[in-house]
């Protein structure tokens, strides 16, 4: 009799264990939507610079240039770096327990596993632990921006090229918003701000539903970002000088009258970091807006200026070296992250 009870008891435990495993798998794959409909996944300035670094709840999620831009994470004091997933990532967005990113494993050299995977490109979601990878869209994507429970992204079609789409964070309700390759760097107050591509280079706004298009500023603009109540852009009529305009299109002003390659703006809106690309003064600089004082950080050619709350990350133009600039101390140093095995 005891043996029978023991077998029944062991059977109950086995069934409970299987049920728990199934429940855990289902719960892990169930999408947790955000309560805040204005949740954002990265800053517009970072997305303008490839979205290679993204800070979320004390962690920095980043594309490691020393490991073919595969997705890593580290603490926001730059310690405890580790690989999350074996994907080449860009346009990283993170909020809550998720990371959204563009996968470009077709650009990984000599990686048989990556090249033979089900999809080498596309829009993906993964937990911040590196688990439960979900494919949201298969074909190549470029700029990706999380806003609320929607992802706005540049959708690729072999015949039509890049177009602006949105999709829910669970992969549902994939729809076209605009039939031109507008880059969704800036989303604010349920509007997408973008520079035109097909017919003009004006600054436009568009409702996140795809309706209500209007021109904000009729200029020759590119490389749009937002900080506070201003839209920043590079003016092609002024040889890529940096300008800004109010969100309503008024009060246009030129801030840096030099040819720039890229720029980014601090979280508090007081400092602009920028790369001069005029052939004679090439280097990474910063501009303190309250005083309009400029200073040189480093001579040379740099790219991918990504900001967190404590650091500016920037790379040599060929992405062979990564540097950090401490926003508090002003110290600059080369930062090496070992390639994880």
């Amino acid at each position: 009799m005891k043996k029978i009870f023991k077998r029944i008891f062991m059977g109950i435990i086995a069934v409970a264990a299987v049920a728990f495993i199934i429940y855990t798998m289902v719960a892990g794959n169930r999408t947790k939507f955000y309560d805040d409909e204005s949740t954002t996944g990265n800053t517009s300035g970072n997305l303008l610079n490839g979205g290679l670094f993204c800070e979320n709840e004390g962690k920095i999620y980043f594309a490691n240039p020393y490991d073919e831009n595969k997705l890593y994470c580290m603490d926001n004091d730059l310690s405890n770096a580790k690989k999350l997933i074996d994907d080449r990532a860009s346009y990283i967005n993170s909020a809550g327990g998720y990371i959204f990113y563009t996968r470009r494993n077709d650009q990984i050299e000599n990686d048989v596993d990556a090249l033979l995977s089900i999809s080498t490109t596309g829009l993906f979601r993964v937990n911040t632990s590196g688990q439960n990878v979900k494919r949201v869209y298969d074909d190549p994507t470029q700029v990706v921006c999380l806003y609320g429970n929607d992802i706005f992204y540049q959708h690729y079609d072999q015949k039509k090229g890049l177009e602006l789409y949105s999709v829910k964070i669970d992969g549902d309700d994939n729809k076209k918003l605009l039939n031109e390759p507008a880059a969704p760097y800036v989303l604010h107050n349920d509007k997408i701000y973008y520079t035109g591509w097909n017919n003009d280079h004006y600054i436009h706004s568009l409702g996140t539903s795809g309706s209500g298009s209007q021109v904000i500023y009729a200029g020759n603009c590119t490389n749009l970002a937002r900080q506070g109540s201003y839209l920043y852009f590079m003016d092609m009529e002024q040889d890529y000088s940096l300008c800004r305009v109010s969100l309503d299109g008024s009060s246009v002003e030129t801030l840096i009258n030099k040819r720039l390659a890229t720029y980014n703006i601090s979280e508090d809106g007081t400092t602009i970091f920028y790369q001069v690309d005029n052939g004679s003064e090439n280097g990474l600089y910063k501009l303190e807006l309250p005083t309009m004082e400029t200073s040189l950080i480093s001579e040379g050619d740099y790219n991918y200026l990504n900001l967190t709350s404590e650091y500016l990350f920037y790379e040599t133009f060929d992405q062979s070296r990564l540097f950090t600039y401490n926003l508090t101390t002003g110290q600059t140093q080369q930062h090496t992250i070992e390639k994880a095995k």
Side-chain angles (χ1 to χ4, degrees), residues 249-287:
S250 63
S251 305
V252 182
E253 57 183 320
T254 300
L255 299 173
I256 302 169
N257 194 17
K258 295 180 185 292
R259 182 183 177 90
L260 302 191
T262 189
Y263 69 95
N264 204 338
I265 313 149
S266 64
E267 190 175 300
D268 61 7
T270 61
T271 309
I272 299 174
F273 299 91
Y274 59 99
Q275 171 67 35
V276 172
D277 186 33
N278 60 11
S280 60
E281 302 169 278
N282 286 25
L284 178 62
Y285 296 78
K286 70 172 182 175
L287 168 66

Side-chain angles (χ1 to χ4, degrees), residues 46-95:
N46 283 356
L47 294 175
L48 176 64
N49 284 272
L52 301 183
F53 289 78
C54 180
E55 189 171 14
N56 175 26
E57 298 181 356
K59 297 286 186 180
I60 299 173
Y61 302 95
F62 66 99
N64 185 359
Y66 302 110
D67 191 10
E68 300 196 88
N69 276 17
K70 292 180 180 178
L71 184 60
Y72 279 61
C73 77
M74 61 184 167
D75 295 339
N76 58 9
D77 64 359
L78 311 186
S79 64
N80 300 318
K82 64 178 182 179
K83 184 188 291 188
L84 277 184
I85 192 169
D86 215 30
D87 277 352
R88 182 183 178 97
S90 59
Y91 301 107
I92 300 166
N93 288 254
S94 183

